[in-house]
Structures are given as structure tokens and as C-alpha cells.
Amino acid sequence: MANFGLFGFFNNYNRPGPGVRKDEPKKPPYIRYFQVMGRKYGKLMQLNLLFLIPVIAVIILMGFLFFAAPVHYYLAISIQELEIQIDLWNCYVVPIPLIFLSPFVAGITYVTRNFAREEHAFVLSDFKDAVKNNWKQFLFNGIFLYFAYILLSFAMIYYYNQSLFSWFFIVPMAICLLLTVVLVFCQFYVPLMIVTFDLKLRQIYRNALIFSIAGLFRNILLVAIFVAMLILMYQAIATLLTLMLLLLFIVLFMFSFISYTTNFVVYSLVERLLIEPYYKKQEEEANQKAGIQSTEQRENEESASAGELDEEDKPEYVYVNGRLRKRSELEDDQVFEDKHY
């Protein structure tokens, strides 16, 4: 009989499980998604409760700022015959504590990333170590997102007002909307890459920008899932029973569900374009140092294998020196010999 414990807090992790046969065929992603979630539901609850601690602290700080404002300044926007007033304090000052939540995203991302690739993770210790090792980059990313939110929102408000007088301003407003969508797509990958790779933040942003295009279907799928979740959460406010179930979902599962779902959907793409090429490069370097393969022989084998591949079979992006680059760019720069795929 399974030992469920209290959300898995008192499970015996030293007891060996049934394991997985090496020759067992890999199941489709949508099946593995629910299988892993079913096996890790206790740890996902632990993780959600752990992440809830900084969330509550941030909510308290935001509540203090909300009620502590001496004067509220409003921005009036006219939409046809309606006039909407935007509270600048509530929209741009109250959310500032969210920046301090960003380092803790490192912890929840690291643990759910391990779950997504079906690896073990100790919730408390791995969460703590991930925050300790990555808090600077996550904090900087939080600051970047805050200022991007300010600039893009003000720009769209301004361009919308101007578009009422001239259609020309519809174009920059559409560009701002597109940048917002791309920024959201990039954030599906930035946390995962920070906890996975030893790269500079600018390289992570560059790779995330490429993934926002290369993983377009995955990005749209994630947006659809989370929008559907928000709609269901909004509808759950209708009755007291569904409201209580909603609160239970938020407390026990929501944050870990979002992080796990995101990492599960995007990890395979990151693995194919970044992780697998990295290990192949490490293996090639190890072989070279050990003298297993001479330089001339390796070049001949690479030339032969490259000739056997059709151009359409070659990957569009190649991981070189910590960055994703287009294969065409490498060929133009005559550094295509450094590729690994």
C-alpha cells in the first residue's frame, strides 16, 4: 500500500521504488506529463507551500503600499465617449515588491525542471540552493520585467490616445503589443536557462528570443493553458464552494502547476537545441584530449557525415560558445566547423 504521508513530507525516500526498465519505450509527452505529475503530486504540493511563503510576504508589502499612499495620481484615458482613469500609484508603485519575489522563482524553477526531465529533487534543499546560486540573475530579470512593463504600458497608452487623431500611431501601438507578446514568450525560457546553464544574462535573453520564435507552437499552447486556467478561476468565484476549492488550489498547487507545466512543455526544445549539443561538444573535447581520434581523422569523418546529411535535415539553430546562432550565419562567418548537433 502506498505511503502518502502528509503531502509527502514524511515519505521514506531511502526505500527503492520499482524503477523503470531500460528497454521500456518512451511514452508520448502528454502521457508522461500526467504520469510525472501523478508521481510527484506530493512534492509539488510541498513546493507550492514553500513558494507561498515569499508570495505572502510580497502580498503584505503590496497591501502596505496600497493603503499607505498619501496621494493617488490618475491618468485619464478617453475611449470614444467613455473616460477611464488609471491609478498610477496602484498600477506602478504597488507592484514593486513583486521584484523581490523573482529570486524565489529560481527555487521553484529548478525543482520543477528536475521533475520535467524525470529526475529526483529534494524540495527544500534544492529550492534553497537554487535561490542562493541564482538570485542575482533572477533579481535582475525581475527588475528588467518591471521597467519593461512600465515602458510598454505607457507607450501603448500614449499611442492609443494618439491613434484617435491619426491612424499612423496604430503601427507603433501594434509593435508594442508584439513586443509584449514576445517578452511573455521569452519568460517561458529565461528562468529555465538561468538554472540550467552557466551563461551571461544577455546570452540567455538572446537565446530566449530565438526560442520565442523557434518554439512558437509551444508558447501558444502555454498561453492557451494559462488563459483557460484564469477563466476557470474567475468563474470559480461564483459560489462559496467553488471559491473555497479555488483557494485550496492556489494554496496547494497553482504556482508549482504553472512552473511544472511551463518547464515540461519547453524543456524538450531546450534540450534538443542546447543541452544535447553541449554534451556532444564535451564528448568531442574529451576524445580529442585523450588522443582517441586525430584531428585529420575527425575532420574527415565530420566532412563525410556532413555530406550524408541533406540540407533540410540539418538543424536551423546551432549552439556555439554559449549562444544559439543560425546555421546560415555560421556558414557566412566561416566558423561552421565549430558546430555541434
Side-chain angles (χ1 to χ4, degrees):
M1 182 177 294
N3 178 19
F4 293 102
L6 181 60
F7 303 135
F9 279 102
F10 303 107
N11 285 342
N12 181 10
Y13 296 114
N14 295 321
R15 185 177 62 187
V20 179
R21 295 198 341 241
K22 292 183 178 180
D23 58 347
E24 184 176 347
K26 199 171 185 179
K27 296 180 180 179
Y30 62 89
I31 294 179
R32 287 188 287 112
Y33 170 83
F34 290 105
Q35 284 182 334
V36 173
M37 184 184 293
R39 292 198 304 265
K40 303 294 184 180
Y41 82 96
K43 287 192 172 184
L44 287 171
M45 289 183 182
Q46 293 179 46
L47 184 63
N48 200 82
L49 290 171
L50 185 59
F51 188 73
L52 199 64
I53 297 174
V55 168
I56 292 174
V58 166
I59 291 175
I60 292 174
L61 289 175
M62 292 176 65
F64 174 78
L65 289 175
F66 179 81
F67 293 106
V71 179
H72 284 230
Y73 296 93
Y74 293 89
L75 178 65
I77 301 177
S78 298
I79 301 179
Q80 295 181 352
E81 298 180 354
L82 298 176
E83 184 175 282
I84 299 177
Q85 290 187 334
I86 298 178
D87 190 327
L88 297 179
W89 178 273
N90 289 341
C91 289
Y92 298 106
V93 178
V94 173
I96 289 178
L98 289 172
I99 296 175
F100 302 107
L101 183 63
S102 55
F104 298 96
V105 177
I108 195 170
T109 300
Y110 182 86
V111 175
T112 56
R113 182 213 63 181
N114 280 15
F115 293 164
R117 59 187 190 185
E118 301 186 54
E119 294 181 354
H120 177 73
F122 292 103
V123 174
L124 182 58
S125 59
D126 287 343
F127 184 97
K128 181 181 66 175
D129 291 341
V131 173
K132 179 181 178 181
N133 296 331
N134 301 281
W135 70 269
K136 290 182 180 179
Q137 286 183 304
F138 273 87
L139 182 62
F140 185 88
N141 185 56
I143 295 172
F144 167 76
L145 288 177
Y146 173 73
F147 283 105
Y149 159 68
I150 293 177
L151 292 175
L152 289 172
S153 60
F154 266 112
M156 284 189 284
I157 291 173
Y158 171 77
Y159 290 132
Y160 174 79
N161 282 335
Q162 294 300 315
S163 68
L164 298 177
F165 305 99
S166 173
W167 64 268
F168 175 79
F169 289 95
I170 295 177
V171 176
M173 185 179 71
I175 293 175
C176 290
L177 287 171
L178 179 61
L179 288 175
T180 302
V181 172
V182 171
L183 184 62
V184 171
F185 286 174
C186 286
Q187 288 305 308
F188 293 150
Y189 302 91
V190 169
L192 175 62
M193 285 192 289
I194 291 178
V195 301
T196 304
F197 301 102
D198 186 16
L199 298 174
K200 295 180 179 179
L201 205 54
R202 61 180 177 82
Q203 294 175 321
I204 289 175
Y205 286 153
R206 185 182 186 277
N207 290 343
L209 181 61
I210 295 175
F211 279 124
S212 69
I213 301 172
L216 184 61
F217 172 76
R218 300 166 191 260
N219 304 333
I220 294 175
L221 175 63
L222 285 172
V223 171
I225 292 173
F226 297 143
V227 168
M229 184 186 75
L230 288 175
I231 294 174
L232 291 175
M233 292 173 65
Y234 176 77
Q235 292 179 343
I237 305 176
T239 65
L240 179 60
L241 177 60
T242 55
L243 179 59
M244 293 179 64
L245 292 175
L246 172 61
L247 293 176
L248 194 64
F249 170 72
I250 294 174
V251 170
L252 295 179
F253 205 61
M254 186 184 76
F255 300 108
S256 59
F257 167 77
I258 293 173
S259 182
Y260 167 72
T261 302
T262 300
N263 288 327
F264 189 93
V265 171
V266 305
Y267 180 79
S268 59
L269 181 64
V270 174
E271 182 180 39
R272 178 162 56 87
L273 293 180
L274 289 182
I275 298 177
E276 290 179 355
Y278 171 79
Y279 282 120
K280 288 185 179 181
K281 177 185 177 182
Q282 294 294 98
E283 184 179 356
E284 290 175 0
E285 291 178 351
N287 291 339
Q288 183 179 8
K289 290 180 180 179
I292 297 177
Q293 192 176 34
S294 66
T295 304
E296 294 181 358
Q297 181 181 358
R298 186 173 63 255
E299 290 177 352
N300 293 334
E301 290 177 356
E302 289 178 353
S303 299
S305 61
E308 293 173 0
L309 290 175
D310 294 331
E311 191 66 29
E312 59 187 15
D313 293 332
K314 298 178 181 179
E316 183 179 359
Y317 297 99
V318 180
Y319 182 63
V320 177
N321 297 329
R323 294 185 301 168
L324 271 180
R325 297 190 60 184
K326 278 192 173 183
R327 179 178 296 275
S328 59
E329 294 178 359
L330 293 174
E331 291 173 341
D332 294 339
D333 296 340
Q334 295 182 350
V335 292
F336 188 67
E337 62 273 14
D338 293 331
K339 67 182 181 300
H340 12 271
Y341 41 76

